Amino acid sequence: MSKVKYYYDPDTLSYRKIEPKKSKKYRNIAFFVLGASLFGFLGLIFLLNTNLVNTPKELSLQREVQNYELQFEILDRKMQQIEEVLANIEDRDNNIYRLYFEANPIPEEQRRAGFGGVNRYKSLEGFNNSEIIIAATKRLDVIQKQMVIQSKSLDEIAKLAEEKEKLLAAIPAIQPVRNADLTRMASGFGWRTDPFTKARKMHKGMDFTAPRGTPIFASGDGKVVRADNRSSGYGKHIRIDHGYGYLSLYAHLSKYNVSRGQKVKRGDLIGFVGNTGRSEAPHLHYEVWKDGEKINPINFYYGSLTAEEFENMLKFANQENQSLD
């Protein structure tokens, strides 16, 4: 409610109400409207140039930026987890898997090498957050490269494991005649007295005395390359090529249970003890060759003998007695 003003009239000795002129009233209203408009305009400009008030589009963009920042933090944590898992796999790959299969470890610089040459990230330059985006992209590229290298390494390990399994199955690792069937272990690898000339001679195999017809078993996986009597002194004999440079020979047989070209597994029945060729009594003469050189077979019986049986065999094999062939 507006204030009412009065003045004192000496003629009437009373107070009279001051009636404002209409022109002044309109002028005041006009000044008020003009002033209010001016202040309103200036206030709007001020608000538009500050962060106190944002347009709906700006608010939407702000929410979008905040969402991107959150997603980037999540991505950063995921990349860190992936890097930790990869580091663990790489450590086991170099220090366990590749070491076990005698493969060279992959150098650290090869695993974490970047990408040289052309600028792969030029399209990401020129933005407000280009530095962060480029760093994250580089990090992802390195992780991807690490994963490719590790995948190829594991493929190589799987292949080596398969070859290792084949190698272990191929090595002539069991005694070719069962202990229960043996009369005795007649002669081992080394210098022995020849039964015919009585001279000392290098005996490059082991003689197992057993009755004629005693089963003989393949000492490892392989392929029969010979099953004949066309080799001087051996009589009827079998040769098995095990691969990896290994070959086993079984001599003085009475008959065969395999033929040339046949594939056999460790423990397969391949023939029977006899007394053919240059032999003094029924027995099996057994040899192991590695890369064309005859080596001591006693070093390969880990697949069929107990520690006590191996110790007894070692004692008899080292006796410088007379061989049977």
Side-chain angles (χ1 to χ4, degrees), residues 189-202:
F189 187 94
W191 291 96
R192 300 293 182 266
T193 302
D194 187 282
F196 300 100
T197 65
K198 306 303 179 183
R200 278 173 58 81
K201 180 182 177 182
M202 186 64 182

Side-chain angles (χ1 to χ4, degrees), residues 73-274:
E73 289 179 7
I74 294 172
L75 176 63
D76 184 69
R77 287 197 295 268
K78 286 183 177 179
M79 285 194 294
Q80 185 176 352
Q81 291 172 352
I82 292 172
E83 288 169 339
E84 290 173 357
V85 172
L86 265 175
N88 181 267
I89 294 174
E90 290 167 354
D91 180 66
R92 284 185 291 168
D93 183 41
N94 275 349
N95 299 311
I96 299 177
Y97 308 142
R98 302 185 73 83
L99 185 65
Y100 177 77
F101 293 108
E102 300 175 356
N104 292 327
I106 299 175
E108 188 74 10
E109 56 272 17
Q110 181 180 339
R111 290 185 184 273
R112 280 160 178 70
F115 301 88
V118 180
N119 184 2
R120 298 162 56 91
Y121 313 104
K122 190 172 182 62
S123 61
L124 302 176
E125 296 175 352
F127 300 98
N128 291 335
N129 297 312
S130 289
E131 186 177 342
I132 297 175
I133 296 171
I134 291 173
T137 306
K138 285 181 178 180
R139 194 172 169 190
L140 281 172
D141 285 344
V142 171
I143 290 174
Q144 184 179 19
K145 184 177 180 181
Q146 287 179 253
M147 293 178 69
V148 170
I149 293 174
Q150 187 56 56
S151 177
K152 290 181 178 179
S153 176
L154 291 176
D155 288 342
E156 183 185 353
I157 293 298
K159 187 175 180 181
L160 289 171
E162 184 180 351
E163 287 298 314
K164 191 85 168 183
E165 186 178 2
K166 290 179 181 178
L167 168 63
L168 293 175
I171 292 175
I174 66 170
Q175 187 174 293
V177 180
R178 289 187 294 242
N179 270 339
D181 296 331
L182 287 179
T183 303
R184 65 190 179 93
M185 212 292 292
S187 181
F189 187 94
W191 291 96
R192 300 293 182 266
T193 302
D194 187 282
F196 300 100
T197 65
K198 306 303 179 183
R200 278 173 58 81
K201 180 182 177 182
M202 186 64 182
H203 186 244
K204 295 186 177 181
M206 296 186 74
D207 292 342
F208 296 92
T209 303
R212 187 188 302 270
T214 298
I216 299 171
F217 304 97
S219 55
D221 294 2
K223 181 179 180 181
V224 178
V225 291
R226 290 188 66 171
D228 56 58
N229 61 354
R230 297 192 304 272
S231 187
S232 177
Y234 288 128
K236 289 183 178 180
H237 77 291
I238 294 171
R239 300 188 193 194
I240 299 176
D241 186 354
H242 302 280
Y244 307 98
Y246 289 100
L247 182 139
S248 58
L249 182 147
Y250 314 77
H252 312 306
L253 279 59
S254 59
K255 60 179 180 178
Y256 313 109
N257 195 54
V258 292
S259 57
R260 184 174 179 271
Q262 182 176 336
K263 290 184 178 180
V264 294
K265 293 287 187 181
R266 179 183 291 151
D268 285 354
L269 177 63
I270 59 173
F272 302 90
V273 171

